[in-house]
């Protein structure tokens, strides 16, 4: 039957490209659904929205399936109404589809494992995302992140110099901490056993995980390196459904490892990064990878088992539970090693229910963290995760995924759970038994005692002394916490509680650092930031965003002015706060 | 006594024509389906060292008889039991559609068969019990499809029609099972005409899912077995 209705150019392209995307697996999932509804309750969106069938996996699947039926299936072609076949005609139809495939599904694959027919909705939801992305229909965040990954080479737009500077900084921190100049973060070293790739989030928001990993490699005596380029093991192609992007990103990484003649690519803890690099990458890039690839979880576990590092689990006595990332557990079978490692480095590990491949999504999967327009929906669906977390009674949730760290942190904040999120690398680093240095000779001992006596005679210099900070936040607790920490370390603190006051205070005080909350009454915080950045008198002003609403980041980062020097998610610990502030201001640990 | 010519045609010729059409359409469907290129995996296997594609495929296929394997079946034993009864009913009714016309090959004559396999004996009761139970389940399923907002939202006319068709077919099978054509051919005619319609309609409807089932579960099992996800570990 010929299509009578006119189609927009984009809709035309979507239909045209659908045919090119259909593999036998996808076609099978299109034809096999019997509308039994068995998958319904496996979806966290359904559980958090009782009575709303539009969140049911099969309902969402049918929004995509109807296209297949209308254009490829016999019955659907001739009697579309009989099997609910349909097409897309206008850009508004595509927008509606976008709302479903990006805004109502995190591609977590939980329903796929609960379908008796083997219908893999997550896979064809990804395909539908890819179709929409190919015609430019996608949430703004997806467009921004994809662009960064295409153009800058990593999904957070981290510039090469910032990346290298961070590595250098973390190496210096490590050397200071261990008092060992050999503790280094080598870059672009050739012929190493291990090439370590990371998530750009680590550079931007969590550099501690880089130094923790470096510490572990150092004590394991590993011959390792980090690449100066092609270091981002995450891949937004997995989320956007764009196989070309997926292939390009994976290729970049593989080529760099080959260029360095690395023997093994170790992927830091990240569910989607692991899945993309380790599993899907070679398929998207259409190339075989000539070296081994493994998750850093396996690497760390091996070091412990082989005795290359020694750990003392009594250093981690707080109760912990483990959250399985969907990509690790449901698409890569990485469920047992993290548990084995956890039991080696923690004293009180409590299983979450359900767990492993049956675990619920952190709510941040499928790139949901970058789609701020769906945040309320995402947080609502987080009720399932919050209940699951609460039931464990644990104080810390461990996860091997940076995306989950953000997703879980958001859920914890939103549902006011008394919990923290961390990763295995942090726990392993904390449990590391640092080998004692050889005892000093008698003369060395005397010399050391003299130096110590001289040092103790000096007045103690506080690391932030002589610095002035403006702390802008409308939450009294937060304001008090930040001010107290900074003042305890010697800084002079002036506070502001709304946009107008912030602008005025910063202009008046000309501080060394402004910590800026993104959600305050008064003048729009984005405008405040832009105005300050454009003020020639405030050229040296350093800004650190501290927010509980990561989705508001674009308020700042989308502006054509210099980006903030630092960013922190609330709740923030004293240690992270100081680390970040020292990094921004260039103050080394030994100076503190 | 012999059945009427029309009943004989409905039991034999009509079924053979319908089966022929079904076979033809199914063959074409399979060829069409296999025309889609299967995606492969280039990477080394993942999982905890014992990833096995074959094990994954077998696990995936066997999933249907392991209600404990999936949360969706584990949490709804009653629903799973319905599924089993419904499909046993389908199998029994299909069996009946062969047993009535061709069963006499198992015995010396049609009459003997009536006395033997289907002559008000345990076999008839057995078939009637299974198909009758499936009929009840089918009615429950209709009610569920109409009343449950989640199921209603995903249901198409084909879903309703297929279910109603099967329900009526089950009923006709229960009534036809005694094969008492001498006392009236109505039930038998209804059963065989419905069976023929069913055979022709099935390849165009959602009932053809069983044709795809081995494929979808094969590919899911292949991929997830290779990746060490299947068999799912629960501790
Ligand atoms: S996707 Fe599977 S479980 Fe869900 S309605 Fe379809 S056949 Fe049933
Ligand atoms: S993939 Fe996950 S989020 Fe998407 S419909 Fe299935 S269960 Fe829900």
């Amino acid at each position: 039957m010929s299509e009578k209705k006119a189609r927009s150019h984009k809709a035309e392209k979507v239909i045209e490209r659908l045919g090119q995307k259909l593999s036998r697996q996808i076609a099978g999932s299109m034809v096999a659904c019997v509308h039994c509804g068995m998958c319904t309750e496996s979806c966290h969106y359904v559980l958090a929205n009782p009575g709303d069938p539009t969140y049911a996996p099969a309902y969402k699947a049918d929004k995509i399936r109807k296209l297949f039926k209308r254009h490829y299936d016999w019955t659907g072609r001739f009697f579309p109404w009989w099997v609910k076949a349909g097409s897309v005609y206008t850009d508004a139809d595509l927008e509606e589809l976008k709302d479903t495939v990006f805004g109502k599904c995190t591609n977590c694959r939980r329903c796929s494992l609960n379908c008796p027919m083997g219908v893999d909705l997550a896979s064809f939801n990804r395909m539908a995302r890819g179709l929409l992305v190919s015609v430019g229909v996608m949430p703004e965040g997806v467009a921004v992140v994809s662009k960064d990954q295409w153009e800058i080479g990593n999904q957070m737009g981290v510039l090469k110099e910032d990346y290298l500077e961070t590595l250098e900084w973390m190496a210096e921190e490590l050397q200071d901490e261990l008092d060992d100049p050999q503790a280094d973060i080598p870059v672009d070293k050739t012929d190493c056993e291990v090439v370590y790739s990371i998530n750009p989030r680590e550079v931007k928001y969590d550099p501690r995980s880089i130094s923790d990993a470096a510490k572990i490699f150092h004590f394991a005596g590993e011959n390792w390196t980090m690449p100066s380029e092609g270091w981002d093991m995450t891949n937004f192609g997995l989320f956007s459904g764009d196989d070309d992007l997926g292939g390009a990103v994976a290729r970049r990484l593989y080529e760099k490892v080959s260029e360095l003649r690395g023997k093994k690519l170790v992927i830091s803890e990240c569910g989607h990064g692991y899945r993309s690099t380790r599993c899907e990458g070679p398929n998207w890039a259409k190339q075989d990878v000539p070296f081994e690839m493994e998750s850093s979880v396996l690497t760390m576990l091996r070091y412990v088992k082989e005795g290359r590092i020694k750990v003392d689990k009594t250093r981690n006595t707080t109760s912990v539970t483990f959250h399985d990332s969907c990509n690790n557990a449901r698409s890569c079978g990485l469920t047992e090693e993290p548990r084995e490692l956890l039991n080696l480095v923690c004293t009180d590990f409590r299983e979450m229910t359900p767990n492993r491949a049956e675990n619920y999504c952190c709510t941040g999967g499928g790139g949901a963290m970058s789609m701020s327009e769906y945040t309320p929906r995402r947080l609502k669906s987080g009720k399932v995760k919050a209940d699951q977390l609460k039931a464990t009674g644990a104080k810390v949730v461990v996860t091997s995924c940076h995306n989950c760290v953000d997703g879980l942190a958001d859920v914890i904040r939103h549902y006011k759970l008394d919990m923290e999120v961390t990763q295995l690398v942090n726990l392993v680093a904390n449990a590391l038994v640092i080998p004692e240095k050889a005892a000093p000779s008698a003369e060395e001992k005397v010399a050391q005692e003299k130096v110590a006596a001289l040092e103790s005679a000096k007045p103690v210099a506080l690391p932030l002394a002589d610095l002035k900070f403006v702390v802008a936040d409308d939450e009294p607790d937060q304001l008090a916490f930040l001010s107290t920490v900074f003042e305890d370390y010697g800084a002079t603190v002036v506070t502001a509680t709304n946009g107008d006051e912030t602008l005025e205070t910063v202009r008046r005080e000309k501080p060394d650092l402004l910590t800026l909350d993104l959600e305050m009454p008064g003048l729009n915080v984005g405008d405040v930031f832009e105005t300050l950045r454009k003020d020639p008198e405030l050229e040296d002003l350093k800004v650190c965003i501290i927010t509980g609403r990561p989705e508001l980041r674009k308020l700042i980062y989308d502006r054509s002015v210099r980006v903030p020097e630092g960013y922190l998610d609330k709740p923030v610990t004293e240690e992270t706060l100081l680390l970040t502030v020292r990094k921004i201001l260039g103050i080394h640990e030994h100076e503190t | 006594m012999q059945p009427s010519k029309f009943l004989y045609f409905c039991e034999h010729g009509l079924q053979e024509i319908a089966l022929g059409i079904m076979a033809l359409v199914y063959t074409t469907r399979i060829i069409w389906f296999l025309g889609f290129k299967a995606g492969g995996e280039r990477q080394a296997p993942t999982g905890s060292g014992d990833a096995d594609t074959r094990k994954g495929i077998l696990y995936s296929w066997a999933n249907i008889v392991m209600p404990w394997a999936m949360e969706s079946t584990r949490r709804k034993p009653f629903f799973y039991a319905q599924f089993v009864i419904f499909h046993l009913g389908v199998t029994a009714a299909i069996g009946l559609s062969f047993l009535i016309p061709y069963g006499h090959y198992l015995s010396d004559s049609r009459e003997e068969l009536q006395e033997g396999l289907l002559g008000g004996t345990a076999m008839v009761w057995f078939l009637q019990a299974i198909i009758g139970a499936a009929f009840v389940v089918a009615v429950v399923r209709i009610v569920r499809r109409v009343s449950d907002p989640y199921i209603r939202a995903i249901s198409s006319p084909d879903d309703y029609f297929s279910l109603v068709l099967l329900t009526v077919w089950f009923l006709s099978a229960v009534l036809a099972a005694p094969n008492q054509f001498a006392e009236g051919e109505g039930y038998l005619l209804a059963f065989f005409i419905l069976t023929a319609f069913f055979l022709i309609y099935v390849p165009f409807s959602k009932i053809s899912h069983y044709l795809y089932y081995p494929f979808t579960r094969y590919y899911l099992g292949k991929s997830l077995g290779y990746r060490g996800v299947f068999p799912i570990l629960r501790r």
Side-chain angles (χ1 to χ4, degrees):
Chain A
M1 251 183 160
S2 64
E3 290 291 332
K4 293 268 170 2
K5 241 165 131 181
R7 261 203 198 90
S8 72
H9 176 70
K10 286 181 180 177
E12 193 67 55
K13 287 284 163 211
V14 164
I15 299 303
E16 197 181 297
R17 288 170 191 167
L18 171 64
Q20 297 154 15
K21 291 245 181 192
L22 291 170
S23 65
R24 196 176 299 158
Q25 285 89 336
I26 300 269
S29 287
M30 293 288 183
V31 289
C33 178
V34 287
H35 289 154
C36 66
M38 293 284 278
C39 54
T40 306
E41 280 150 38
S42 53
C43 178
H44 58 288
Y45 282 103
V46 173
L47 299 178
N49 293 278
D52 185 348
T54 66
Y55 286 102
Y59 183 89
K60 295 181 274 195
D62 276 358
K63 296 248 173 204
I64 307 161
R65 187 176 282 119
K66 70 173 188 179
L67 303 178
F68 176 86
K69 285 190 172 171
R70 183 72 186 89
H71 298 278
Y72 290 91
D73 192 67
W74 307 342
T75 321
R77 275 194 197 176
F78 293 99
F79 306 101
W81 57 275
W82 188 245
V83 289
K84 280 196 175 171
S87 195
V88 279
Y89 297 96
T90 63
D91 291 356
D93 291 344
L94 299 180
E95 285 294 325
E96 197 194 314
L97 187 59
K98 176 188 96 176
D99 186 71
T100 299
V101 303
F102 285 102
K104 289 186 170 180
C105 174
T106 56
N107 280 358
C108 78
R109 222 176 191 185
R110 199 167 189 277
C111 56
S112 310
L113 296 198
N114 276 293
C115 168
M117 290 299 299
V119 170
D120 190 3
L121 163 63
S123 294
F124 72 84
N125 194 65
R126 179 179 176 273
M127 178 205 73
R129 285 180 172 201
L131 284 173
L132 292 176
V133 165
S134 77
V135 295
V137 177
M138 64 192 113
E140 200 190 328
V142 173
V144 171
V145 179
S146 301
K147 188 170 176 281
D148 278 347
Q149 202 154 29
W150 272 118
E151 292 174 5
I152 303 177
N154 65 83
Q155 57 163 289
M156 285 194 174
V158 176
L159 299 175
K160 187 175 177 183
E161 50 271 31
D162 289 340
Y163 164 71
L164 293 175
E165 200 181 284
T166 305
L167 295 192
E168 206 178 305
W169 167 266
M170 294 327 292
E172 286 168 13
E173 290 275 308
L174 191 62
Q175 286 160 4
D176 288 345
E177 184 193 332
L178 302 176
D179 190 20
D180 182 354
Q182 302 301 317
D184 196 13
I185 300 184
V187 176
D188 280 351
K189 207 169 123 192
T190 50
D191 300 305
C192 286
E193 290 299 318
V194 164
V195 176
Y196 186 55
S197 59
I198 57 168
N199 183 319
R201 183 184 172 280
E202 297 180 62
V203 182
K204 224 161 171 173
Y205 312 128
D206 189 15
R208 173 62 83 195
S209 62
I210 304 175
S211 60
D212 280 350
K215 199 187 213 177
I216 295 165
F217 286 131
H218 173 71
F219 284 113
E222 189 59 272
N223 176 15
W224 72 294
T225 190
M226 289 183 76
S228 62
E229 276 168 286
W231 50 268
D232 179 7
M233 52 66 174
T234 69
N235 196 324
F236 216 69
L238 181 72
F239 297 154
S240 68
D242 181 350
D243 291 351
D244 291 338
L245 174 62
V249 172
R251 224 172 285 123
R252 243 179 242 161
L253 193 53
Y254 302 154
E255 278 166 10
K256 188 67 193 179
V257 179
S258 296
E259 184 194 313
L260 295 174
R261 297 190 298 274
K263 301 211 173 55
K264 184 185 279 180
L265 173 62
V266 171
I267 302 154
S268 82
E269 289 176 86
C270 176
H272 104 264
Y274 180 61
R275 180 177 170 191
S276 304
T277 306
R278 172 68 176 78
C279 293
E280 318 295 353
N283 304 311
W284 292 330
K286 298 186 180 63
Q287 71 176 60
D288 294 325
V289 178
F291 45 82
E292 262 185 72
M293 295 189 273
E294 78 179 6
S295 158
S296 62
V297 175
L298 274 74
T299 317
M300 292 187 285
L301 181 61
R302 209 182 41 248
Y303 289 163
V304 180
K305 281 181 161 176
E306 289 173 358
R308 287 174 71 175
I309 55 172
K310 295 225 167 347
V311 285
D312 174 6
K313 57 156 78 180
T314 61
R315 304 228 178 119
N316 294 314
T317 50
T318 318
S319 51
V320 301
T321 186
F322 185 71
H323 163 85
D324 291 276
S325 121
C326 302
N327 284 311
N328 279 342
R330 277 191 280 276
S331 290
C332 301
L334 182 60
T335 56
E336 301 317 294
E337 293 84 352
R339 286 173 168 79
E340 208 180 333
L341 187 54
L342 259 180
N343 279 314
L344 289 167
V345 297
C346 294
T347 54
D348 184 0
F349 167 50
R350 303 161 183 196
E351 221 25 293
M352 194 183 286
T353 311
N355 55 53
R356 297 178 168 84
E358 295 191 340
N359 187 29
Y360 286 104
C361 177
C362 69
T363 74
M369 299 306 289
S370 64
M371 306 172 206
S372 53
E373 57 271 61
Y374 305 127
T375 302
R377 228 183 250 177
R378 175 170 63 77
L379 288 173
K380 190 172 179 200
S381 77
K383 171 83 173 61
V384 180
K385 190 83 243 170
D387 290 346
Q388 227 189 332
L389 289 172
K390 210 178 333 171
T392 66
K395 287 280 169 216
V396 174
V397 52
V398 184
T399 184
S400 280
C401 174
H402 279 280
N403 208 46
C404 297
V405 169
D406 283 341
L408 293 170
D410 244 14
V411 168
I412 288 171
R413 204 162 31 231
H414 187 75
Y415 290 94
K416 300 191 171 35
L417 305 180
D418 181 21
M419 264 187 138
E420 273 178 33
V421 194
T422 193
Q423 295 202 281
L424 268 161
V425 69
N426 309 118
L427 293 177
V428 174
N430 195 46
L432 265 183
V433 177
I434 313 249
E436 299 244 343
K437 288 196 172 170
S441 63
E443 296 90 80
E444 280 170 337
K445 223 171 166 182
V446 173
Q448 278 172 5
E449 277 165 8
K450 272 187 189 162
V451 172
L454 282 171
E455 290 287 327
S456 63
K458 278 190 204 165
V460 181
L462 293 171
L464 305 181
D466 302 329
L467 295 172
K468 190 188 278 178
F469 290 5
V470 168
V471 175
D473 204 305
D474 64 333
E475 286 175 46
D477 288 355
Q478 192 65 21
L479 208 59
F481 167 72
L482 296 173
S483 304
T484 311
V485 173
F486 294 146
E487 281 168 356
D488 283 354
Y489 284 86
T492 306
V493 177
V494 187
T495 58
T497 53
N498 61 51
D500 309 73
E501 197 186 343
T502 304
L503 191 59
E504 193 190 304
T505 313
V506 173
R507 280 183 164 154
R508 188 183 66 234
E509 301 290 339
K510 301 203 174 33
D512 299 281
L513 177 79
L514 162 69
T515 70
L516 186 61
D517 180 20
L518 292 184
E519 199 183 28
M520 288 193 292
L523 206 59
N524 176 297
V525 176
D527 294 340
V528 172
F529 174 72
E530 189 168 346
T531 312
L532 292 174
R533 273 291 188 244
K534 286 182 174 162
D535 189 333
E537 285 191 32
L538 294 168
E539 252 178 15
D540 295 333
L541 175 71
K542 304 273 197 290
V543 180
C544 180
I545 303 297
I546 304 183
T547 182
R549 301 271 314 269
E551 68 279 10
L552 296 179
R553 276 192 289 228
K554 64 178 185 158
L555 269 181
I556 301 284
Y557 289 92
D558 277 2
R559 294 179 187 255
S560 53
V561 288
R562 200 172 84 237
V563 295
E565 280 74 15
Y567 174 95
L568 286 169
D569 272 323
K570 286 180 189 170
V572 55
T573 61
E574 182 174 325
E575 190 201 358
T576 320
L577 179 66
L578 282 173
L579 181 73
T580 309
V581 166
R582 283 196 290 109
K583 181 173 180 253
I584 294 172
L585 299 170
I587 304 167
H588 284 278
E589 183 152 60
H590 62 258
E591 296 167 51
T592 67
Chain B
M1 189 176 166
Q2 292 294 317
S4 72
K5 278 197 171 158
F6 184 56
L7 176 58
Y8 186 84
F9 169 71
C10 289
E11 286 181 357
H12 292 83
L14 185 63
Q15 300 308 309
E16 283 149 20
I17 293 167
L19 274 169
I21 293 173
M22 186 173 94
L24 189 72
V25 181
Y26 271 169
T27 309
T28 321
R29 280 241 163 204
I30 295 287
I31 293 170
W32 165 79
F33 179 68
L34 295 178
F36 293 102
K37 205 167 167 286
E41 311 242 45
R42 284 172 181 264
Q43 78 280 14
T46 46
S48 303
D50 54 356
D52 182 341
T53 310
R54 226 179 40 162
K55 211 156 73 181
I57 295 168
L58 291 176
Y59 173 83
S60 184
W61 274 336
N63 225 270
I64 207 73
V65 291
M66 300 191 295
W68 60 88
M70 279 191 305
E71 183 193 78
S72 54
T73 42
R74 196 165 61 233
R75 283 199 184 162
K76 294 183 174 174
F78 186 58
F79 192 85
Y80 181 76
Q82 284 182 33
F83 155 83
V84 173
I85 293 168
F86 189 86
H87 286 84
L88 282 177
V90 172
T91 313
I94 291 173
L96 188 68
S97 74
F98 284 95
L99 208 50
I100 291 176
Y102 304 111
H104 64 279
Y105 291 121
L106 302 173
S107 57
D108 292 339
S109 70
R110 177 91 184 235
E111 286 74 17
E112 208 173 278
L113 176 68
Q114 263 176 267
E115 297 305 316
L117 279 176
L118 287 171
T121 60
M123 173 63 104
V124 170
W125 289 344
F126 176 65
L127 288 174
Q128 281 183 320
I130 296 176
I131 303 169
F135 168 75
V136 175
V137 168
V139 172
V140 171
R141 284 187 166 200
I142 293 176
V143 174
R144 180 169 169 262
R145 199 162 278 284
V146 175
S147 62
D148 182 329
Y150 288 98
I151 306 294
R152 203 168 54 229
I154 53 175
S155 297
S156 65
D158 174 43
D159 291 318
Y160 291 110
F161 182 74
S162 298
L163 191 49
V164 171
L165 178 68
L166 273 164
T167 313
V168 176
W169 183 60
F170 282 145
L171 183 65
S172 72
V174 171
L175 297 172
N179 193 18
Q180 300 292 346
F181 56 86
E183 286 158 32
E185 295 184 344
Y187 296 147
L188 283 161
L189 281 172
F191 175 59
F192 281 103
I193 290 171
L194 271 172
T195 305
F197 177 75
F198 182 68
L199 291 174
I200 295 169
Y201 177 69
V202 162
F204 299 98
S205 81
K206 73 133 178 204
I207 308 173
S208 59
H209 64 274
Y210 62 83
L211 188 69
Y212 302 114
Y213 173 83
F215 293 101
T216 48
R217 294 242 44 122
Y218 169 83
Y219 285 114
L220 192 71
K222 189 175 171 211
S223 171
L224 296 187
Y226 190 67
R227 291 168 181 231
V229 179
F230 274 0
I232 285 182
L233 256 177
R234 284 179 55 230
R235 276 179 195 155

